[in-house]
Amino acid sequence: MTVPRSTLRLQFHRGFTFDDALAHIEYFAALGISHLYASPVTTAAPGSMHGYDTVDYTQVSAECGGEAALKKLADKLHERGMGLIVDVVPNHMGVAGSGAHNAWWRDILEWGRHSAYARHFDVDWHSPDPALRGKVLLPCLGAPYGDELAAGRIALRFDADTGRFNIGYGDHLCPVCPVDYATLLQTAERADLTALAERFRGLTTQPADQPRAAQACDALRDFAKQHGRAPIEFVLQTHAPEDPVTRDHLHRLLERQHFRLAWWRTAADEVNWRRFFDISTLAAVRVERPEVFDAVHALVFRLYADGVIDGVRIDHIDGLAEPREYCQRLRQRLSELREGAPYIVVEKILARGEALRDDWPVDGTTGYDFMNDVGALLHDPRGAQPLAAAWAAISGRSAAFADEALAARRKMLTENLAAELDRAARAVHRIARDHLATRDFTYTSIRRVVGELAAHFPVYRIYPQNGLRSAADNVFFERALDGARQTLSSADRRVLEQVDAWLGSGADEPASLREPASLRGGVTPPQGAAVGAFNHAAAARRTVQTLFSQLTAPVAAKSIEDTACYRYGRLLSRNEVGADPGEFALSVAQFHAGNLERARRFPHAMLVTATHDHKRGEDVRARLAVLSEIADEWSATLRAWSTLNTPLRRAPDGDTIVDALTEDWAPGPAAEAMLYQTLVGCWPPDLTADDEAGIAALAERVAQWQLKALREAKLRTNWFAPDEAYENACRAFLLDILAPQRRDGFLRELCAFVARIGRAGAVNSMQQTILRLASPGVPDLYQGTELWDFSLVDPDNRRPVDFARRAALLAEKPPSGFLASWRDGRVKLAIVQRMLALRAHLPELLSHGTYLPLGVQGAHAERVIAFARRHGNAWAVVIATRLAVPLLGSAAAPANVDADAEANAGDHAQSDLPLVEPARWEDTAVRMPEELVARAMFDWVSPAAPKVEDDGLLYLRDALTSMPIAVLVEDGVPRA
């Protein structure tokens, strides 16, 4: 396997194509990247800006340049000794426009259960709702069905190019089943159309009849070309929605189709196919089926076999029915296509204490776990309690994130994922009905139990094998059981215990529960029937376990990342994908433990601090983390700013100014507090209060974030039922507080505060960057984040990147040379370039080297993290400043900072550098490995060559003289 040294994530779309990436290959190579890491390259819905709404797995996206351009890009990469990794989306496909661009989806809408692709999608063809049996719910209407039909917005259409009838609604085109064409053509009462109708007479939906239907449609197409549309217009008029009689004909035609058009609001309660989370334009596919697996990966396998790509990233692994089996099958197939082991990483959200499974043959995760670890490391644990208390006092909401999470889970289960909960509960209920002892367990009681388990489930899902949960599963399942026991009534406890067993507890059950009903009653069936009954029972349990897992995963994602994280504002730097905002900080020892575990189990996992899905840019989070060190001051600042801007508050039903004593106002205390945090976090380092154009541009970006944040919180407004008056009032408040007339008021205070914490934020950013580049794993660089990344949630974090500017900023000198001008971000770019050069010079050291945590002692030991990497006789020692506010002199010195050190710091404490004055470190030192005591070391990121004392101590006053970080290697290693 060619393990990447480092990767660069690129988001491809029609605005940034394979040819665009090709134009920057020399920059990527000069930066030191070994592999490009591409967003999905398969054909997505037209205009897709992300590629996760695949509509054709077999073709490279033409909008991105097509297969020829992709191969040209790969060839150029290979010429430069680089490679290509692509994102694969095996869980779902795009079906927007009722699948107008998705041939698989259109086929099942046309032929229903007899479609060649009917089992490709996870459709419940046996819905308990008679109106949906054998049909697919299409919740695409903007208003109730009857209203839209009466308004004439649903119509019968004819496509002369294909000879097909469709039901049209806006951009949606739903195919009419050819079985109905004979009746349709006869309604016009024309001899020529009646003759054509004969071609369709006797058709059924059976697969054997579908080729004849295609031939008949070809004849209809040829007829339309020869005679024009006029004859067909007679057919369309007999189903025109404007007249009550013909509208009834249209309705009756719709009732006969294999789809049911419905108001979009019905999706949460009635959708009978698995979606990606709660998104009704993304339909889940059954990749666990061999024929679907082959179809989904046909292009990927061909590109890998041809040497075009070198590895894959698997999107949303937890959406799959059998992640372990999927990974095993994928690795086996890829290994058969080419010599060497393929590089495979999976997108997996891991909770604290949850490990990636050993029996998944992958190289690790895509790095959210590392992003969580390094992000928590930046926070001062002493800020947790006061910030939580301040948040509760200001917002009136709970101080504990767990409370918000549970409320969000219940809301998602009730309002957004009710259909998915119903489907899982029905599967359990079917098992209950098969046994005498449980046949009286009602559907409603089972639904309550399953709902409570899902509401309290602390991780994405379980991974049972052979119908049983593992010990690792039970660690988290027991927590869900405890939560359910506390909230369910005693009458439901027996149901809970039984559901626990069916979900794989392995608890002993009475024989009457283990035996199918057909084996009881004194009749002994044939051996074959007994085996079949047991197999049926086992299959039913596996179905229940799969449906439960495919319920808890979207509940976790939508409740935590997309709801609770927008409601809870203790400190937004901890509200990130893959993180638990309830976990405020991580100690140095805990961070080391995570790195050691990663090095031992998945040494080639990705390391990320920014992604296409992040809520806030890596440097936004790094700056906001500084607030944990000045919790009391920040809390006072929040209150002062709120008081200052009180005259600008709006009525929630409009943009009129309200009285200061009004209790209900826009944006409201919680949203206002989050807004101030966001402004502090994303404010560009060089933006001043009198830069009207710059502030106006930032205001538009923040307004876009604010709208998304308010809707995701689902409190005063949401995506399904937006309160536009409230949203407009919130926007007006934002634009008002950033208006030019505030330059001597709020804007001046905001700029001053950002300047006040800016240096500490930059120190955090450099610490975070060096840890990503030097820790065990494969560092990934998200596009454009070589410079400061003050982006917000998508689409802000997917804006165009000026790679030419970044290429022009590359320089062959150490990062310390750019520290004085740190605001322009060149120091960060230089750190990235320099460290990737070290990875190229000593590839084994940072890819396979042993990870050794190093002890730190002295007055400020808690403000340092240090470790060594060793491979053979090669060493690198990494040292980084952390929790730097007191030492930078930008806050009141805490009690443990010596007064003399404060005085001796001199003017440097007031300087503009994100660097601790060396004297402030006092006796703080790193305990170096014995092997390095006598060796000459130099700093890879500065001109320093600090000396290790004979007692094995390396003093920070010597090591961190010109940078807040150091990477010490032996003299003799060629400098980049």
Side-chain angles (χ1 to χ4, degrees):
M1 173 176 62
T2 302
V3 176
R5 285 196 318 273
S6 56
T7 58
L8 172 66
R9 170 75 180 203
L10 294 178
Q11 293 294 120
F12 287 106
H13 46 79
R14 63 185 177 185
F16 186 81
T17 67
F18 304 136
D19 284 343
D20 293 322
L22 182 67
H24 300 295
I25 290 292
E26 295 307 317
Y27 164 64
F28 302 147
L31 188 60
I33 296 300
S34 76
H35 288 67
L36 289 188
Y37 163 32
S39 60
V41 300
T42 46
T43 300
S48 175
M49 297 298 289
H50 48 77
Y52 288 99
D53 45 358
T54 303
V55 296
D56 186 349
Y57 281 114
T58 66
Q59 299 291 324
V60 175
S61 168
E63 286 191 349
C64 295
E67 188 166 337
L70 178 65
K71 288 183 174 179
K72 186 178 177 182
L73 173 63
D75 288 344
K76 187 65 174 179
L77 288 169
H78 295 151
E79 285 178 16
R80 301 293 277 107
M82 302 164 71
L84 179 63
I85 296 165
V86 298
D87 207 334
V88 177
V89 190
N91 177 67
H92 54 269
M93 297 186 78
V95 295
S98 300
H101 303 281
N102 187 326
W104 293 4
W105 188 251
R106 279 186 61 82
D107 201 71
I108 72 166
L109 298 185
E110 187 171 33
W111 296 106
R113 284 176 291 184
H114 294 135
S115 164
Y117 304 101
R119 301 181 76 183
H120 280 47
F121 294 95
D122 208 346
V123 179
D124 182 4
W125 295 107
H126 305 284
S127 171
D129 181 354
L132 282 177
R133 285 175 191 158
K135 293 179 180 284
V136 173
L137 183 75
L138 290 185
C140 60
L141 303 181
Y145 170 79
D147 295 347
E148 296 296 75
L149 190 65
R153 286 189 277 270
I154 302 173
L156 179 65
R157 298 178 185 172
F158 179 72
D159 184 347
D161 292 332
T162 62
R164 303 272 177 159
F165 286 101
N166 297 285
I167 300 298
Y169 174 79
D171 295 332
H172 296 265
L173 279 178
C174 308
V176 173
C177 182
V179 170
D180 287 303
Y181 281 27
T183 303
L184 279 173
L185 294 171
Q186 283 182 312
T187 58
E189 297 182 350
R190 288 174 54 105
D192 49 2
L193 294 181
T194 299
L196 275 173
E198 289 301 317
R199 291 177 173 268
F200 294 93
R201 197 171 305 284
L203 278 177
T204 70
T205 59
Q206 294 297 320
D209 276 356
Q210 293 177 23
R212 183 161 73 90
Q215 293 172 358
C217 288
D218 289 343
L220 182 56
R221 178 197 61 202
D222 295 341
F223 173 87
K225 286 183 178 179
Q226 181 178 358
H227 299 281
R229 290 187 56 89
I232 304 297
E233 287 297 328
F234 285 100
V235 177
L236 302 183
Q237 285 303 313
T238 61
H239 293 77
E242 293 79 14
D243 181 82
V245 174
T246 55
R247 183 164 64 243
D248 184 63
H249 293 164
L250 176 61
H251 168 64
R252 293 175 183 276
L253 174 66
L254 281 164
E255 290 291 274
R256 295 195 299 270
Q257 301 313 301
H258 301 293
F259 55 84
R260 178 189 154 207
L261 295 179
W263 192 15
W264 63 266
R265 290 176 184 263
T266 65
D269 294 328
E270 296 187 344
V271 69
N272 63 334
W273 44 274
R274 186 165 62 90
R275 303 171 289 174
F276 174 69
F277 297 164
D278 61 348
I279 303 174
S280 297
T281 56
L282 296 175
V285 295
R286 300 185 63 190
V287 77
E288 67 273 13
R289 297 184 62 82
E291 69 275 16
V292 181
F293 178 88
D294 290 340
V296 165
H297 298 89
L299 176 64
V300 170
F301 290 156
R302 180 163 57 79
L303 294 175
Y304 185 77
D306 292 345
V308 178
I309 64 173
D310 304 285
V312 293
R313 177 256 198 199
I314 305 303
D315 179 66
H316 189 45
I317 191 74
D318 277 340
L320 309 185
E322 300 168 340
R324 179 178 68 99
E325 289 77 0
Y326 170 84
C327 293
Q328 291 172 344
R329 184 182 301 173
L330 180 66
R331 180 166 291 280
Q332 179 180 347
R333 289 293 297 275
L334 289 173
S335 298
E336 291 170 352
L337 294 172
R338 220 167 82 189
E339 288 188 10
Y343 182 70
I344 304 172
V345 289
V346 294
E347 184 199 35
K348 166 63 183 159
I349 303 297
L350 293 168
R352 182 65 62 201
E354 182 186 14
L356 185 63
R357 302 302 167 107
D358 287 314
D359 54 0
W360 293 12
V362 299
D363 294 290
T365 72
T366 54
Y368 290 121
D369 48 329
F370 179 82
M371 185 163 73
N372 181 30
D373 286 357
V374 75
L377 179 70
L378 303 181
H379 290 71
D380 188 337
R382 289 165 290 206
Q385 191 281 327
L387 286 174
W391 165 251
I394 290 171
S395 68
R397 303 188 68 84
S398 173
F401 178 73
D403 294 335
E404 291 287 14
L406 182 59
R409 287 174 179 274
R410 294 194 188 286
K411 185 178 183 69
M412 293 306 303
L413 286 164
T414 301
E415 300 179 14
N416 293 64
L417 297 168
E420 286 77 3
L421 173 57
D422 282 343
R423 189 175 180 185
R426 284 199 306 271
V428 177
H429 189 231
R430 283 194 293 269
I431 294 180
R433 283 289 177 88
D434 279 346
H435 302 285
L436 297 181
T438 58
R439 64 184 296 177
D440 289 336
F441 287 1
T442 66
Y443 167 76
T444 304
S445 66
I446 288 173
R447 191 182 190 277
R448 280 196 301 270
V449 165
V450 174
E452 284 303 310
L453 284 172
H456 289 91
F457 213 73
V459 292
Y460 265 51
R461 59 171 289 176
I462 55 174
Y463 307 94
Q465 294 182 35
N466 300 319
L468 297 177
R469 298 194 301 266
S470 67
D473 287 329
N474 282 327
V475 168
F476 300 104
F477 202 94
E478 286 296 331
R479 288 165 57 183
L481 278 172
D482 288 342
R485 289 189 187 105
Q486 293 175 28
T487 53
L488 289 168
S489 69
S490 57
D492 286 332
R493 296 291 173 79
R494 184 180 175 192
V495 178
L496 176 63
E497 292 173 4
Q498 187 57 60
V499 170
D500 175 29
W502 287 330
L503 287 174
S505 70
D508 289 336
E509 297 174 286
S512 60
L513 295 187
R514 291 198 303 270
E515 295 174 357
S518 61
L519 298 185
R520 295 189 296 274
V523 177
T524 303
Q527 182 65 25
V531 172
F534 277 118
N535 288 340
H536 171 76
R541 290 195 182 201
R542 286 195 299 271
T543 297
V544 162
Q545 292 163 4
T546 296
L547 290 175
F548 181 75
S549 296
Q550 291 178 329
L551 169 67
T552 58
V555 166
K558 296 299 295 181
S559 302
I560 305 304
E561 298 167 22
D562 294 342
T563 304
C565 280
Y566 287 99
R567 294 181 174 185
Y568 184 73
R570 171 169 62 176
L571 198 55
L572 296 182
S573 46
R574 292 300 295 135
N575 294 20
E576 192 49 81
V577 179
D580 174 8
E583 178 191 68
F584 189 75
L586 204 67
S587 69
V588 169
Q590 289 171 314
F591 179 81
H592 284 320
N595 267 354
L596 286 168
E597 183 71 359
R598 197 172 291 109
R600 182 179 70 84
R601 299 182 65 239
F602 294 101
H604 306 312
M606 280 187 169
L607 308 176
V608 304
T609 47
T611 77
H612 61 286
D613 278 335
H614 67 233
K615 305 298 184 189
R616 290 162 191 85
E618 60 188 29
D619 300 312
V620 175
R621 299 193 305 272
R623 184 190 288 168
L624 287 177
V626 176
L627 303 181
S628 69
E629 301 182 64
I630 53 171
D632 292 337
E633 180 183 342
W634 170 243
S635 300
T637 299
L638 270 181
R639 292 185 174 90
W641 287 353
S642 184
T643 299
L644 179 63
N645 291 323
T646 294
L648 305 179
R649 292 175 178 175
R650 300 308 210 264
D653 58 351
D655 60 358
T656 56
I657 302 295
V658 297
D659 185 87
L661 299 179
T662 303
E663 294 185 0
D664 188 20
W665 49 277
E672 183 187 19
M674 288 186 174
L675 174 61
Y676 293 143
Q677 283 194 55
T678 299
L679 289 171
V680 166
C682 74
W683 194 268
D686 55 354
L687 184 61
T688 59
D690 56 0
D691 182 353
E692 292 187 19
I695 291 175
L698 177 66
E700 284 302 319
R701 289 177 49 216
V702 175
Q704 189 177 46
W705 161 83
Q706 183 185 56
L707 178 62
K708 182 167 185 172
L710 293 171
R711 290 184 176 181
E712 294 285 14
K714 306 172 185 69
L715 294 171
R716 299 291 296 266
T717 184
N718 58 62
W719 295 107
F720 294 152
D723 184 340
E724 294 183 1
Y726 170 72
E727 293 170 354
N728 290 335
C730 291
R731 176 183 170 87
F733 177 82
L734 165 64
L735 297 182
D736 229 358
I737 67 174
L738 296 183
Q741 57 266 37
R742 315 293 170 212
R743 66 167 57 93
D744 294 325
F746 173 67
L747 283 175
R748 181 184 61 194
E749 292 200 13
L750 175 59
C751 287
F753 188 86
V754 172
R756 152 112 170 69
I757 67 171
R759 291 187 298 138
V763 170
N764 277 350
S765 290
M766 287 184 272
Q767 173 196 355
Q768 179 174 249
T769 300
I770 204 69
L771 293 180
R772 170 167 52 90
L773 293 165
S775 291
V778 176
D780 175 58
L781 180 70
Y782 181 64
Q783 59 178 30
T785 59
E786 308 94 294
L787 298 178
W788 297 134
D789 173 27
F790 292 105
S791 64
L792 298 170
V793 72
D794 67 279
D796 193 63
N797 62 6
R798 302 176 188 178
R799 287 174 293 155
V801 177
D802 188 348
F803 287 115
R805 174 174 176 255
R806 286 160 174 76
L809 294 178
L810 290 176
E812 295 298 326
K813 66 177 182 178
S816 57
F818 302 103
L819 193 66
S821 58
W822 62 271
R823 284 182 176 79
D824 64 14
R826 292 186 72 182
V827 63
K828 182 182 178 185
L829 174 63
I831 292 171
V832 172
Q833 181 185 8
R834 192 79 165 178
M835 287 303 295
L836 293 182
L838 181 60
R839 280 185 166 266
H841 285 312
L842 300 172
E844 296 298 318
L845 176 61
L846 293 180
S847 62
H848 296 97
T850 303
Y851 183 88
L852 300 169
L854 299 180
V856 184
Q857 62 187 55
H860 306 300
E862 68 169 342
R863 304 189 186 281
V864 183
I865 179 171
F867 60 85
R869 302 297 306 277
R870 177 184 184 177
H871 187 268
N873 202 38
W875 288 82
V877 175
V878 179
I879 304 170
T881 306
R882 62 185 297 268
L883 304 180
V885 168
L887 297 181
L888 287 172
S890 53
N896 65 338
V897 176
D898 186 87
D900 291 336
E902 183 80 14
N904 293 337
D907 293 339
H908 189 90
Q910 305 303 317
S911 77
D912 192 44
L913 292 179
L915 178 68
V916 173
E917 164 65 29
R920 281 183 174 269
W921 286 113
E922 303 179 61
D923 63 343
T924 309
V926 175
R927 172 69 63 182
M928 297 288 278
E930 289 183 13
E931 295 92 329
L932 298 182
V933 172
R935 297 189 184 184
M937 309 284 287
F938 74 89
D939 187 4
W940 189 255
V941 299
S942 80
K947 181 180 181 298
V948 180
E949 301 296 330
D950 292 340
D951 59 2
L953 294 180
L954 175 64
Y955 287 93
L956 273 295
R957 59 178 179 254
D958 298 326
L960 300 180
T961 57
S962 55
M963 283 288 282
I965 58 174
V967 181
L968 306 180
V969 296
E970 275 197 278
D971 201 6
V973 174
R975 292 177 183 257

